[in-house]
Amino acid sequence: MIDKNVVKKLVDEWLEGKEYFLVDIQLSPDSRIVVEIDHADGVWIEDCVELSKYIEEHLSRDEEDYELEVGSAGLGQPFKVPQQYVNFIGKEVEVLDKDGRKVKGILKSVDGNDFVVSVNEKVQVEGKKRPVKMDVDHEYKMDEVKYTKYIISFK
């Protein structure tokens, strides 16, 4: 079976000096390799082809046959690495927290493992009879949420 570390090393070599970043590498028992990359401005198919060829040039099909798929991290799929959070600052995201609560709001900031989502919600204000809609910041830790994903909007 092909070693995941070997594939990661090849991907890292290809990524060096480029603005792309690695999102995920998956290896299945039937020798299927799936590599996901991303970029702040999106992923070009030509770059996926180039990375695919680079990996194929450095792996021997004589030693082991494999299936290789190189693509971009799917838009609307849960974030897997911190750089994806950074790329979507200022955009609307959905967060499912560890307690099963789902919120939608604007990804306001990212600091290491922490991120803040500003949610427009009803808040009871002292002196007012009815709740008032206000932006409320919710703080999360990336490794403590079930998922965070970009909300695709066609407005």
Side-chain angles (χ1 to χ4, degrees):
M1 184 164 168
I2 295 171
D3 185 2
K4 185 175 184 175
N5 292 324
V6 170
V7 177
K8 183 179 181 330
K9 182 177 176 278
L10 292 171
V11 173
D12 288 342
E13 287 172 7
W14 184 84
L15 292 173
E16 197 170 311
K18 296 178 177 73
E19 292 182 17
Y20 281 97
F21 58 93
L22 177 63
V23 174
D24 195 19
I25 296 176
Q26 297 173 6
L27 281 140
S28 66
D30 60 347
S31 296
R32 182 167 187 257
I33 305 166
V34 178
V35 178
E36 290 182 356
I37 58 173
D38 208 348
H39 187 284
D41 297 327
V43 176
W44 294 92
I45 187 74
E46 294 85 4
D47 293 325
C48 292
V49 170
E50 186 181 312
L51 174 56
S52 180
K53 285 180 181 177
Y54 184 84
I55 293 169
E56 287 178 351
E57 288 170 2
H58 292 84
L59 292 179
S60 173
R61 288 197 187 268
D62 295 334
E63 291 176 26
E64 185 169 0
D65 195 27
Y66 59 89
E67 178 185 345
L68 176 62
E69 178 183 323
V70 176
S72 66
L75 202 57
Q77 296 297 314
F79 298 163
K80 296 179 182 176
V81 295
Q83 185 61 43
Q84 289 177 293
Y85 286 83
V86 173
N87 287 353
F88 287 96
I89 290 175
K91 307 281 190 215
E92 189 175 18
V93 296
E94 178 178 281
V95 178
L96 181 62
D97 71 16
K98 62 184 176 192
D99 299 323
R101 286 187 301 261
K102 191 183 288 187
V103 299
K104 292 180 182 180
I106 303 299
L107 181 57
K108 192 172 177 180
S109 64
V110 177
D111 184 18
N113 189 49
D114 303 326
F115 67 100
V116 176
V117 176
S118 182
V119 180
N120 192 274
E121 55 190 38
K122 290 181 180 178
V123 177
Q124 188 63 49
V125 178
E126 193 175 321
K128 302 255 183 177
K129 289 184 180 181
R130 294 179 177 250
V132 176
K133 280 212 152 205
M134 297 176 62
D135 288 335
V136 178
D137 289 349
H138 293 259
E139 296 181 20
Y140 299 99
K141 295 195 176 298
M142 290 176 200
D143 56 0
E144 292 181 1
V145 297
K146 292 184 179 176
Y147 69 74
T148 303
K149 60 184 180 181
Y150 172 65
I151 297 176
I152 301 169
S153 176
F154 298 103
K155 294 179 186 176

